[in-house]
Amino acid sequence: MVSGHESPPSGSQSPEAARSDGKALDAYEERLGQGVRDFLGAGPLPLSIGGREIAVDRETIPVEDPAQGAVVAEVPAAGRREVDQAVEAARAAMSGPWRRMGAHQRSMTLHALADLVEEHGETFAQLESLDSGKPVAAARDYDVAKTVEFFRYFAGWPTKIEGSTIPGPGEHRLIYTLRQPVGVVAQILPWNFPLMIAAWKLAPALAAGCMAVVKPAEQTPLSVLYLAQLLREADLLPPGVVNVVTGYGGEAGAALAGHDGVAKVSFTGSPEVAREIVRAAAGNLKRVTLELGGKSPNIVLPDMDPAEIAPEAAAAIFLNQGENCIAGSRLFVHRSIFDDVVAGVRDSADEVRLGPGLDETTTMGPLISAQHRDRVLEYVGAGAEAGGDVHRAPAGDRPPGGYFVEPTVITGVSDDARVAREEIFGPVLVALPFESLEEVAARANSTEYGLAAGIWTHDVAAAHDLARMLEAGTVWINTYNETDPAVPFGGFKQSGWGREHGGEVLDQHLETKSVWVNLERRSRGQGELR
Ligand code: NAD
């Protein structure tokens, strides 16, 4: 059963139609600053390789504003040739000043990078909102603010990367370790937090002294290309240390993942693509870290006040239009308070203001593309077909042509329904009642994913019991969706390999070299000292 209201508008503009009228940015009038207009107005955007702009005169990728379904920019569709060029530039930089630079200076460079993002923060926020659809306030206060935070946190690391001295077999041996950068890192990004996830990967790579080739998602290349432009203009890094190639996953992404000049791939995206990357990486056995999807359980124990918890549960799923790997998409509520919590979550969903991200009053923007909107709506339909009670919030007054999906709450399905098992990656919550701790832990863990989980209770013992039982890389107790550059982040099971953030991500960018010195073997000249 579907309650709520009508379907979203289906007639979004085709990229071709939008490109021909050229008016997509005019719709925003003064809401769009000069920084964005200058950046996008300069014609087709270039790649950034070896510290230079590289134009590609072949195919381009149209970049859409998902709020209008209209093309706002075009970026190069890099192929193997440009990927080779970028990897070559990065490898050439390995023997340049970045690797030899003193730790203090590298730290200062990362602080300068943070300053650069901060200084142009408003342009970054508007670009991110225009490109991904997210509310500009969220882009400003979360994506851009976190990007700055990540560069600053990792600016503190170069001066703390230390080896050790090890006693070894006896006094005539000096054994020590050096920590050295792994080399060129390919950073393949998703479209949901384009700039922030670029910072998740760039900041530790730079702190470790690595070189990067960044490939943004084809849907959202703008903020990373803007960062590349600022880096070129500021001349902050030696040429080749950070290179940006835009392109389709199956071409530019696959070429990077399989490239023998790349030492490590850091990937964030879907498990399906992760499998292809692992296969491609096998050629030179490059290091691979993977940050993948989730179907995260958010668990409410019976001692909680439904009125207090419902808005928290709604925020856990609806942040970033639900296009969030850690979204609390399975809400488990103790049966005794289930109806009240669900009613409150529905109320919160109804209060969401759907609209263009660049409208300051919008609290939820459109989804990333027509294709993704259709995929999410297909899941909503599957929820109804599985016998679910589907509540869709009112659509409100939003412009035609965008890829909007109303916040949706589904109840009355079993754990094995597709909507309760598969990652939807949209504003769709499945709420499920439970009776006991052991039962909910088993059901929460009964998924191929293991990225995150939430627990809401004042019962300290129950909270810590559950935290121990849950198979998830992050467990939040009485909070949700918090991340910090110092706190390890990643997934159990098919949610990923390795951890980002903190010292753990740094380790993944460093090789440890053990150096053995035989102190008994002296030069002839030294013999005279005895
Ligand atoms: P995706 O896997 O479709 O694409 C991610 C990136 O991989 C893009 O840059 C794409 O161009 C590239 N790619 C595609 N095919 C490739 C190939 N054959 N070889 C190399 N690269 C290729 O993912 P998406 O749709 O952009 O993002 C959504 C997914 O990302 C969701 O599953 C979400 O949960 C996950 N995600 C995870 C995290 C995390 O930190 N765990 C964060 C954000 C998103």
Side-chain angles (χ1 to χ4, degrees):
M1 183 185 91
V2 180
S3 66
H5 68 101
E6 85 283 11
S7 302
S10 58
S12 54
Q13 265 179 302
S14 75
E16 289 71 23
R19 202 180 315 174
S20 62
D21 71 24
K23 296 268 188 260
L25 298 185
D26 295 350
Y28 293 112
E29 297 173 348
E30 73 285 355
R31 271 182 279 163
L32 214 48
Q34 201 53 43
V36 174
R37 290 184 189 280
D38 291 347
F39 178 63
L40 296 181
L45 295 164
L47 306 178
S48 194
I49 296 179
R52 291 187 299 125
E53 294 183 14
I54 303 288
V56 180
D57 53 9
R58 292 193 314 275
E59 195 191 349
T60 56
I61 302 177
V63 181
E64 280 188 287
D65 164 12
Q68 302 183 70
V71 174
V72 291
E74 290 179 46
V75 300
R80 180 169 297 278
R81 196 175 63 195
E82 290 77 25
V83 166
D84 283 347
Q85 242 179 307
V87 175
E88 242 168 66
R91 288 187 70 83
M94 281 168 62
S95 48
W98 185 246
R99 202 140 176 185
R100 295 194 302 268
M101 185 182 279
H104 184 66
Q105 201 185 342
R106 186 176 298 151
S107 165
M108 298 305 283
T109 308
L110 275 156
H111 275 301
L113 216 163
D115 292 343
L116 201 62
V117 176
E118 211 160 37
E119 194 185 323
H120 298 272
E122 187 55 29
T123 303
F124 274 115
Q126 292 180 13
L127 272 177
E128 204 71 324
S129 172
L130 180 69
D131 200 1
S132 70
K134 68 181 69 196
V136 66
R140 196 180 287 134
D141 300 341
Y142 188 75
D143 297 61
V144 176
K146 281 278 170 196
T147 299
V148 172
E149 198 179 308
F150 270 80
F151 283 123
R152 290 221 189 286
Y153 169 82
F154 280 100
W157 266 107
T159 51
K160 287 137 199 115
I161 298 173
E162 296 172 348
S164 54
T165 53
I166 299 161
E171 61 173 332
H172 298 301
R173 294 292 180 273
L174 166 65
I175 306 166
Y176 63 94
T177 58
L178 292 173
R179 316 277 330 269
Q180 297 184 324
V182 292
V184 176
V185 183
Q187 305 179 335
I188 302 180
L189 310 179
W191 44 256
N192 57 343
F193 293 97
L195 179 69
M196 184 185 76
I197 292 183
W200 285 13
K201 297 185 187 306
L202 270 176
L206 293 175
C210 292
M211 322 295 144
V213 180
V214 188
K215 197 207 82 64
E218 43 272 55
Q219 299 88 343
T220 53
L222 299 183
S223 53
V224 175
L225 284 177
Y226 183 56
L227 179 65
Q229 176 179 305
L230 294 180
L231 285 174
R232 286 194 307 270
E233 287 170 0
D235 203 15
L236 209 56
L237 296 162
V241 174
V242 173
N243 308 276
V244 177
V245 290
T246 52
Y248 291 108
E251 292 164 16
L256 262 178
H259 205 293
D260 281 351
V262 170
K264 167 183 163 62
V265 182
S266 173
F267 171 74
T268 297
S270 60
E272 298 71 38
V273 172
R275 286 186 189 89
E276 293 188 43
I277 285 181
V278 168
R279 278 191 285 271
N284 68 340
L285 293 176
K286 54 176 69 67
R287 281 104 183 92
V288 179
T289 43
L290 305 170
E291 291 291 346
L292 311 177
K295 189 74 182 174
S296 300
N298 195 12
I299 303 170
V300 184
L301 300 195
D303 61 320
M304 298 312 278
D305 174 358
E308 256 178 52
I309 239 45
E312 304 276 8
I317 175 68
F318 297 139
L319 179 94
N320 210 53
Q321 301 80 240
E323 295 169 325
N324 181 10
C325 55
I326 49 183
S329 51
R330 285 186 296 156
L331 179 64
F332 288 100
V333 185
H334 192 265
R335 192 176 291 284
S336 60
I337 55 169
F338 183 79
D339 290 343
D340 291 341
V341 171
V342 168
V345 175
R346 287 177 174 170
D347 289 345
S348 295
D350 292 352
E351 283 163 18
V352 164
R353 282 187 58 96
L354 268 184
L358 283 163
D359 181 337
E360 295 279 353
T361 64
T362 291
T363 58
M364 183 185 285
L367 299 191
I368 190 68
S369 63
Q371 189 192 16
H372 187 54
R373 175 201 58 197
D374 294 347
R375 181 177 173 276
V376 171
L377 289 177
E378 198 267 321
Y379 273 110
V380 174
E385 270 168 39
D389 184 348
V390 178
H391 174 86
R392 280 173 69 182
D397 183 19
R398 72 220 187 171
Y403 308 135
F404 295 95
V405 172
E406 305 79 9
T408 301
V409 181
I410 302 178
T411 50
V413 293
S414 63
D415 288 8
D416 56 8
R418 272 183 65 218
V419 282
R421 280 186 295 111
E422 297 176 15
E423 185 184 41
I424 300 175
F425 219 55
V428 181
L429 177 70
V430 174
L432 304 152
F434 73 89
E435 313 267 355
S436 76
L437 269 198
E438 288 67 25
E439 170 213 334
V440 77
R443 289 170 63 196
N445 288 340
S446 168
T447 163
E448 67 209 33
Y449 293 113
L451 193 57
I455 301 168
W456 298 87
T457 181
H458 299 302
D459 180 336
V460 175
H464 291 289
D465 261 358
L466 252 185
R468 209 172 13 83
M469 286 190 270
L470 291 173
E471 295 165 353
T474 296
V475 177
W476 291 286
I477 299 174
N478 296 334
T479 183
Y480 205 91
N481 271 330
E482 286 195 57
T483 59
D484 185 279
V487 181
F489 178 87
F492 280 37
K493 302 190 282 189
Q494 292 188 37
S495 286
W497 286 356
R499 291 292 178 271
E500 294 204 291
H501 311 354
E504 289 206 36
V505 73
L506 212 68
D507 286 344
Q508 290 158 10
H509 288 83
L510 293 165
E511 295 286 11
T512 300
K513 181 182 285 176
S514 301
V515 181
W516 289 67
V517 184
N518 177 354
L519 297 174
E520 286 172 313
R521 197 168 290 277
R522 293 167 181 275
S523 74
R524 282 212 194 135
Q526 284 226 332
E528 293 162 16
L529 292 174
R530 291 189 170 175

